[in-house]
Amino acid sequence: MSLRLPPFEALRLLVGVDDHGSLSAAARSVQMSQPNASRAIRGLERRFALPLVERSPNGSTLTAQGTVLAHWARQILADIDKLLIVAEGLKAERGAQLTVTASITVAEHLMPVWLARFRAQYPGVTIYLQARNSTQVIEEVRSGSCDVGFIESPNPVRGLHSTEVARDELVVVVHPQHPWARRRAPLTAAELAATPLLVREAGSGTRTTLELALRDYEIAAPLLELGSASAIRTSALNGVGPAVLSTLAIAEDVRTGHLNVVAVQDLHMPRSLRAVWRGARRLDGTAAMLLKLIFSEPA
């Protein structure tokens, strides 16, 4: 015969009658009203189909069956208390950790500064950082593999909460010896689409943003498909071909003249870099501490 588990509070009442000698005292011990306690015990008796408590004008005592069940209930409740203590310990342990998964651009150009400031302010927190493309970040957030993710995808993320933490823009860059570096007129979007480019892999926020910007054109096959902004930047610096990169990745190279930005007529690719997480709308724990620090960063 299969029995449903009884409510734990009803078991605590049963043990309380054994300990205190009355149902009213047992009810006070678990902070329950007398009428609710009486209903809980009656429910327990119906569930087990056994008389458990003898009621009299002088109080309540356990029946023989009630005494046996109270003995086992006491052991069960002790194990439940141990379970709760262990769970709290694990929660506290997790509170001293922070697992972050960030898109490549964010991981390479923003996260080092953010995490250095975080470590300086919270030296007792252990940080785990993983770099993925934006699609993979979303998958890891959904699976619960990280506390918070950072993406550069222009698409909305259904089922997750998000907030903007930074902005950047994608630009076309070339080596100073590339013919486009000497152009006086801007490129057209059609010319850019028809040119084989150094691009990120499918699923990255950079690749997705570029493809959305050129969605009205037939896009040429990539010149090279590389797994990080750093690899694309290195290839562009060595004159392999034109690339589309975040302004975060090439700011210093443009300033020093090692790369040239090529204007594209009527094509702008600004992006919102966002933190994403699952669960409650309001982040808590170490992830919330990180976001607070990011938002307090001087402009």
Side-chain angles (χ1 to χ4, degrees):
M1 180 179 179
S2 175
L3 291 174
R4 289 182 299 138
L5 288 172
F8 293 124
E9 287 306 312
L11 295 181
R12 291 191 188 279
L13 277 171
L14 191 66
V15 171
V17 173
D18 192 32
D19 288 341
H20 302 291
S22 75
L23 183 57
S24 59
R28 287 193 297 273
S29 72
V30 297
Q31 298 182 324
M32 185 182 293
S33 70
Q34 175 80 31
N36 286 342
S38 296
R39 280 192 289 271
I41 289 295
R42 286 196 295 270
L44 206 57
E45 290 176 323
R46 286 193 300 271
R47 178 160 295 181
F48 291 132
L50 291 170
L52 303 177
V53 176
E54 291 181 351
R55 300 164 181 83
S56 72
N58 296 324
S60 303
T61 58
L62 296 182
T63 64
Q65 297 96 326
T67 300
V68 171
L69 291 185
H71 167 76
W72 290 104
R74 197 181 299 276
Q75 294 189 41
I76 290 169
L77 293 171
D79 286 339
I80 290 296
D81 288 340
K82 290 176 184 176
L83 172 70
L84 295 175
I85 291 170
V86 170
E88 284 300 312
L90 292 173
K91 182 179 177 182
E93 180 180 298
R94 182 165 176 78
Q97 298 178 353
L98 176 61
T99 302
V100 177
T101 306
S103 70
I104 303 295
T105 297
V106 176
E108 289 181 345
H109 302 288
L110 295 174
M111 198 57 66
V113 175
W114 292 342
L115 292 187
R117 292 181 61 228
F118 185 88
R119 286 297 301 272
Q121 193 164 337
Y122 305 104
V125 178
T126 301
I127 303 169
Y128 302 96
L129 173 62
Q130 306 168 96
R132 304 281 190 266
N133 68 39
S134 290
T135 298
Q136 293 167 333
V137 172
I138 293 168
E139 290 173 356
E140 296 211 3
V141 172
R142 289 192 193 282
S143 71
S145 299
C146 62
D147 299 306
V148 63
F150 292 86
I151 63 171
E152 58 206 66
S153 174
N155 298 318
V157 184
R158 289 186 296 179
L160 296 179
H161 304 297
S162 71
T163 186
E164 183 177 284
V165 294
R167 296 190 67 83
D168 75 342
E169 184 175 2
L170 296 186
V171 293
V172 180
V173 292
V174 294
H175 187 275
Q177 299 304 313
H178 191 278
W180 284 0
R182 296 186 292 275
R183 283 182 64 114
R184 293 186 177 182
L187 282 175
T188 65
E191 286 178 295
L192 181 64
T195 303
L197 302 171
L198 301 169
V199 295
R200 285 284 307 282
E201 78 286 1
S204 73
T206 299
R207 177 76 169 268
T208 302
T209 301
L210 174 63
E211 290 176 346
L212 280 175
L214 298 176
R215 60 185 175 275
D216 295 332
Y217 305 92
E218 184 174 347
I219 301 175
L223 176 62
L224 277 179
E225 187 176 275
L226 299 166
S228 71
S230 294
I232 294 175
R233 171 181 165 272
T234 299
S235 298
L237 285 168
N238 284 281
V240 175
V244 175
L245 285 168
S246 165
T247 48
L248 294 171
I250 48 82
E252 181 63 17
D253 298 311
V254 171
R255 188 187 69 78
T256 58
H258 293 107
L259 287 175
N260 286 27
V261 174
V262 180
V264 182
Q265 188 176 0
D266 298 325
L267 186 68
H268 301 285
M269 294 179 280
R271 298 188 303 178
S272 172
L273 308 180
R274 307 187 70 80
V276 292
W277 66 93
R278 69 173 193 168
R281 180 174 294 277
R282 194 179 190 88
L283 265 176
D284 60 9
T286 51
M289 291 154 55
L290 175 61
L291 281 194
K292 183 178 179 181
L293 180 146
I294 291 171
F295 289 135
S296 68
E297 185 176 69

